[in-house]
Amino acid sequence: VAKEVMIQIGDQVISAASQTLAVGGLSFKSEQQFAKGQKIKLKISDVHEEVEGEIVWSTELNSFGVKFLNVTENLKSQVQGLTQGLIPT
């Protein structure tokens, strides 16, 4: 599911589009560089909760994987609502 993602690193906020979205995390593409293990805050469009995450992988093509660190029942429910009925690719 492609959703707009606002990513906060310290005082800096950048916008990106998610490539994948699941209950445990997401991936996105960005010209901004991130380091594995870096902690970030995310605001995902249509999800009414800020999420803390950690960069867990990256590619040479500027794609990054984020593991959500504070998955609440509310967050889980909202993400499941966005992804329900989709077929993994």
Side-chain angles (χ1 to χ4, degrees):
V1 175
K3 292 289 177 186
E4 183 180 4
V5 181
M6 301 304 290
I7 303 165
Q8 182 177 346
I9 315 117
D11 293 335
Q12 184 182 14
V13 177
I14 64 166
S15 178
S18 65
Q19 295 177 302
T20 62
L21 175 63
V23 171
L26 60 76
S27 65
F28 66 93
K29 193 169 186 135
S30 172
E31 294 302 315
Q32 172 79 30
Q33 292 301 303
F34 296 89
K36 189 174 177 182
Q38 186 173 8
K39 304 287 195 286
I40 60 175
K41 290 184 181 177
L42 305 158
K43 181 68 179 126
I44 305 162
S45 64
D46 299 326
V47 174
H48 308 290
E49 189 171 333
E50 187 175 83
V51 185
E52 291 182 17
E54 178 181 349
I55 302 293
V56 292
W57 59 261
S58 64
T59 70
E60 291 179 5
L61 301 174
N62 293 332
S63 288
F64 302 90
V66 177
K67 174 184 173 182
F68 296 150
L69 299 178
N70 56 338
V71 180
T72 64
E73 287 304 314
N74 186 39
L75 174 65
K76 198 181 292 188
S77 159
Q78 289 183 69
V79 172
Q80 286 172 336
L82 293 172
T83 60
Q84 188 172 16
L86 298 177
I87 299 171
T89 58

